[in-house]
Amino acid sequence: MQVLQVQLEVGPDPAEVGRARRWARSRLAGSGIRDDEPLAETLVLLISELVTNAVVHTGCPAVLRMLFAAEGGVRVEVADASDRPPQPRHAQGDDTNGRGLELVDGLADRWGWQPEGAGKSIWCEVDRAAPVGTPPTSSVSPGRVPC
């Protein structure tokens, strides 16, 4: 399996989320995933959620990575310097936050988190072409909890 990896350093500023989305769109187009494909929109939304979580909840710089498999799947990883594992959060009614990782769980085919260096990495994977009617599979690391 061949994999192309690209990465972007993200500063600890919420304005960096927009820059990460723009960067991701350009890298997706460069990988052959057209902007009008549903996959592109899904990946940009996943990236937005993961980068937002890293920036807002840790206040630390982060690294966004996208890995493109020859088979068409895409893995997104966001690594940050915080060793604090994601904490469970369940949004209620009009809450304005607490839904990010629930959204990731609903959109990604697989996701989880793992220690990385002194910090952690949260990852998700989206398969480019799953057969119609095939439900996504979940392969989440033990201890996976929403932020």
Side-chain angles (χ1 to χ4, degrees), residues 3-141:
V3 175
L4 169 66
Q5 177 178 325
V6 294
Q7 73 178 33
L8 173 71
E9 292 184 23
V10 179
D13 178 354
E16 289 282 274
V17 177
R19 185 171 74 89
R21 281 193 299 264
R22 289 186 299 277
W23 177 85
R25 284 190 188 282
S26 70
R27 295 315 176 272
L28 290 170
S31 77
I33 299 173
R34 295 184 328 272
D35 204 34
D36 62 347
E37 284 186 57
L39 176 62
E41 286 303 316
T42 298
L43 287 165
V44 170
L45 181 55
L46 289 167
I47 287 165
S48 185
E49 290 299 330
L50 294 180
V51 171
T52 297
N53 282 352
V55 170
V56 170
H57 294 295
T58 71
C60 301
V63 176
L64 165 61
R65 296 184 202 106
M66 294 190 334
L67 297 89
F68 299 94
E71 297 79 24
V74 180
R75 180 178 173 109
V76 172
E77 299 176 353
V78 176
D80 63 56
S82 172
D83 65 353
R84 193 182 87 199
Q87 298 296 313
R89 297 189 65 194
H90 300 287
Q92 302 293 317
D94 292 337
D95 289 352
T96 58
N97 56 30
R99 293 179 178 85
L101 290 180
E102 288 180 19
L103 184 64
V104 171
D105 187 48
L107 292 174
D109 292 306
R110 293 162 297 284
W111 78 276
W113 73 277
Q114 66 220 18
E116 182 172 311
K120 69 180 169 305
S121 174
I122 298 180
W123 58 268
C124 65
E125 296 175 339
V126 177
D127 300 328
R128 186 162 192 182
V132 175
T134 303
T137 60
S138 180
S139 172
V140 178
S141 300

